[in-house]
Amino acid sequence: MSRACLLAYRAWMGEAFSDRCEGLLTGRYDCVDRIVLNAYFSVGSSPGGFRTWWRGLYGDDGALDNAHLMRMAGRFARRVRGWAAANGVPVIDCGRGERKHEIAREYLAGHTVLGPGVFLVLVARAPVPVWDVKRSQAGVIVNLARKTAFVNHYSFHILDRVWGHVTIKMSSHPPFRPRSSSTGTSTWRVRRTRPVSGS
């Protein structure tokens, strides 16, 4: 297949996908800047489902309270930072308004990244729904409600052999709400270096 045919086929596939998912899309772009996939953890998105998930993790919901949820977020943060320190992966705390993808792009331009894998972790605060647990004086859960809070999000920047620069962003608070994104230009750059059959 010639390069022109391959490009035309990819453009047609993108349009076919957009047309098929038109009811789910809020915007449309002629050029792929990046692909973003949001993971939806349905069990963790309702009070009953979240309690079921917690019981599966700990056996019961006797310890389900705001303090234990905060401790879980703290353990997540310590483990990420500990893993990064042990593996020589830098962790950068970002300020408000900083463009994380630009920081990662500058890091890639100025450093040699050996092999595929995580090469950078960026930390930034962002609003996300978290669970607020209310208990009675007897210790019974009387309300489990979602509220929006600013919490740390961890962006794991990964260099992949096929996709190029991929980012997985996660909230440190349960149910974690991961998001994966791939910059379209880096994906094309990686794939362009591979031979295309018939060209």
Side-chain angles (χ1 to χ4, degrees), residues 154-176:
Y154 293 79
S155 297
F156 301 91
H157 291 265
I158 303 164
L159 201 58
D160 183 73
R161 285 191 181 102
V162 175
W163 288 95
H165 181 188
V166 177
T167 307
I168 297 176
K169 178 180 172 184
M170 288 182 69
S171 164
S172 58
H173 285 252
F176 308 110

Side-chain angles (χ1 to χ4, degrees), residues 27-50:
R28 196 170 186 125
Y29 301 94
D30 292 332
C31 176
V32 176
D33 177 47
R34 69 186 58 138
I35 301 168
V36 177
L37 302 173
N38 290 319
Y40 181 69
F41 179 47
S42 58
V43 173
S45 298
S46 69
F50 187 74

Side-chain angles (χ1 to χ4, degrees), residues 12-188:
W12 175 81
M13 282 300 293
E15 283 301 309
F17 177 77
S18 296
D19 291 342
R20 192 168 50 249
C21 299
E22 188 170 18
L24 304 171
L25 301 175
T26 57
R28 196 170 186 125
Y29 301 94
D30 292 332
C31 176
V32 176
D33 177 47
R34 69 186 58 138
I35 301 168
V36 177
L37 302 173
N38 290 319
Y40 181 69
F41 179 47
S42 58
V43 173
S45 298
S46 69
F50 187 74
R51 286 182 76 172
T52 301
W53 173 78
W54 186 272
R55 289 173 184 159
L57 193 61
Y58 291 107
D60 62 24
D61 55 11
L64 177 55
D65 56 28
N66 291 336
H68 281 85
L69 292 173
M70 291 294 288
R71 286 183 199 143
M72 184 179 271
R75 278 195 303 274
F76 180 91
R78 285 190 300 278
R79 288 178 179 174
V80 167
R81 290 179 185 274
W83 173 87
N87 290 282
V89 175
V91 177
I92 300 173
D93 292 291
C94 301
R96 185 175 170 182
E98 288 187 85
R99 307 286 298 198
K100 271 64 83 188
H101 64 280
E102 292 294 333
I103 294 170
R105 189 176 294 153
E106 288 171 12
Y107 181 85
L108 266 177
H111 295 80
T112 303
V113 177
L114 300 175
V118 177
F119 66 87
L120 179 65
V121 178
L122 299 177
V123 185
R125 293 177 67 77
V128 68
V130 296
W131 290 107
D132 183 40
V133 184
K134 300 276 191 243
R135 288 186 175 267
S136 68
Q137 289 183 347
V140 177
I141 295 176
V142 293
N143 193 22
L144 182 60
R146 286 180 8 179
K147 67 176 185 178
T148 300
F150 275 85
V151 301
N152 281 341
H153 284 69
Y154 293 79
S155 297
F156 301 91
H157 291 265
I158 303 164
L159 201 58
D160 183 73
R161 285 191 181 102
V162 175
W163 288 95
H165 181 188
V166 177
T167 307
I168 297 176
K169 178 180 172 184
M170 288 182 69
S171 164
S172 58
H173 285 252
F176 308 110
R177 301 190 184 281
R179 168 189 277 179
S180 173
S181 64
S182 173
T183 305
T185 53
S186 65
T187 302
W188 173 243

